[in-house]
Amino acid sequence: MTAQSNITPESIVGDLRYLQLLSRSFPTIADASTEIINLEAILNLPKGTEHFLTDIHGEYEAFQHVLKNASGAVKRKVNEIFGNTLREAEKKELCTLIYYPEEKLQLVKAREKDLDDWYLITLNQLVKVCQNVSSKYTRSKVRKSLPAEFSYIIQELSIEPNKHDYINVIISTIITTKRADDFIIAMCNLIQRLTIDSLHIVGDIYDRGPGAHIIMDTLCNYHNFDIQWGNHDILWMGAASGNDSCIANVIRMSMRYGNLGTLEDGYGINLLPLATFAMET
């Protein structure tokens, strides 16, 4: 008795096509094995933080704040790293700096007498936070997230956690060359980015609030996100596509919530003819 084989000419052709496509990305055995090793290693890294947001409804200021603090994930990281080594007020101040680096720096400059000492302490703290949030990613992924201007310096600070003298010299040089402000801003933005691996928007970006268009601009520049459209989003899509009933409903909702700015400022739609028509009619 002979066993029947499931191999057919069609399946062989299909396999060959698949292998030919793979060979474009991995032309040699070494390339293919390196990718297999890389993917197997990634599967054993801690899972990246996935952030879910829903019912934003155009409230862009609240959206921006939640995005910056990752719904408290940054605060949890700071507490985890510094525990009892920092007072609550100091941890809160560090978190605020990470959320709003430009604004916080202006306040600190007006308050601190010994700014160099504050820079030294703060940069060391930010390096520790950055090392922590980047630990769940491959070096390649972290490298791609780095700001080009400070990429090499941040890599040196993050990859060599045990070389204290080396790190202190780098930080001191950043301060003496008057690059501390720009470097702090870059580090804070990097921490925000690495804290959230994937952002999931679960419905209703639009309606009610004044800044749905600003939220969309933010998402277009975000590193990794997906959207499940909600009924309010689809209503605005219908209006943008020219459906009369959707247009009427969008205008009605915008007027109800005093949100004509999205139409006029966000999308440049002149509502003066509509107002004139309403008064005359």
Side-chain angles (χ1 to χ4, degrees), residues 51-113:
H51 196 192
F52 292 81
L53 292 176
T54 186
D55 295 316
I56 303 168
H57 289 303
E59 298 293 347
Y60 72 95
E61 289 185 350
F63 170 76
Q64 299 278 14
H65 182 65
V66 170
L67 211 57
K68 288 176 180 292
N69 66 44
S71 293
V74 171
K75 184 178 180 181
R76 287 193 293 274
K77 289 289 183 184
V78 169
N79 283 327
E80 177 186 317
I81 296 163
F82 297 104
N84 297 321
T85 60
L86 291 180
R87 296 191 296 269
E88 287 301 316
E90 292 172 325
K91 287 187 281 189
K92 184 177 179 180
E93 184 163 287
L94 179 60
C95 287
T96 305
L97 176 67
I98 293 170
Y99 307 154
Y100 301 102
E102 294 93 341
E103 295 85 346
K104 187 63 178 178
L105 278 169
Q106 294 305 314
L107 294 174
V108 169
K109 285 182 174 181
R111 180 194 70 194
E112 292 291 333
K113 294 180 180 179

Side-chain angles (χ1 to χ4, degrees), residues 44-220:
N44 287 279
L45 284 172
K47 185 166 172 51
T49 300
E50 298 195 39
H51 196 192
F52 292 81
L53 292 176
T54 186
D55 295 316
I56 303 168
H57 289 303
E59 298 293 347
Y60 72 95
E61 289 185 350
F63 170 76
Q64 299 278 14
H65 182 65
V66 170
L67 211 57
K68 288 176 180 292
N69 66 44
S71 293
V74 171
K75 184 178 180 181
R76 287 193 293 274
K77 289 289 183 184
V78 169
N79 283 327
E80 177 186 317
I81 296 163
F82 297 104
N84 297 321
T85 60
L86 291 180
R87 296 191 296 269
E88 287 301 316
E90 292 172 325
K91 287 187 281 189
K92 184 177 179 180
E93 184 163 287
L94 179 60
C95 287
T96 305
L97 176 67
I98 293 170
Y99 307 154
Y100 301 102
E102 294 93 341
E103 295 85 346
K104 187 63 178 178
L105 278 169
Q106 294 305 314
L107 294 174
V108 169
K109 285 182 174 181
R111 180 194 70 194
E112 292 291 333
K113 294 180 180 179
D114 190 352
L115 200 58
D116 284 358
D117 188 50
W118 182 86
Y119 279 142
L120 185 63
I121 294 169
T122 303
L123 283 167
N124 271 290
Q125 291 171 344
L126 290 175
V127 167
K128 289 179 181 177
V129 177
C130 192
Q131 288 171 349
N132 183 283
V133 297
S134 64
S135 62
K136 63 177 66 175
Y137 304 113
T138 63
R139 286 188 181 183
S140 174
K141 187 166 184 176
V142 173
R143 196 179 302 116
K144 292 172 184 175
S145 304
L146 298 177
E149 187 179 11
F150 297 110
S151 177
Y152 172 75
I153 298 172
I154 294 175
Q155 286 183 69
E156 290 298 297
L157 291 172
S158 301
I159 294 171
E160 302 290 348
N162 297 318
K163 296 184 177 179
H164 301 294
D165 292 339
Y166 179 67
I167 290 174
N168 286 334
V169 169
I170 292 175
I171 292 174
S172 296
T173 307
I174 291 169
I175 297 169
T176 56
T177 54
K178 308 299 182 184
R179 298 292 287 158
D181 283 6
D182 292 332
F183 191 78
I184 285 172
I185 292 168
M187 286 285 283
C188 291
N189 290 333
L190 177 63
I191 290 167
Q192 288 181 32
R193 175 167 181 169
L194 293 176
T195 301
I196 300 175
D197 186 29
S198 301
L199 174 65
H200 307 286
I201 306 296
V202 190
D204 293 339
I205 295 171
Y206 281 77
D207 203 25
R208 305 178 195 175
H213 57 292
I214 301 173
I215 293 169
M216 290 302 298
D217 287 341
T218 301
L219 289 174
C220 285

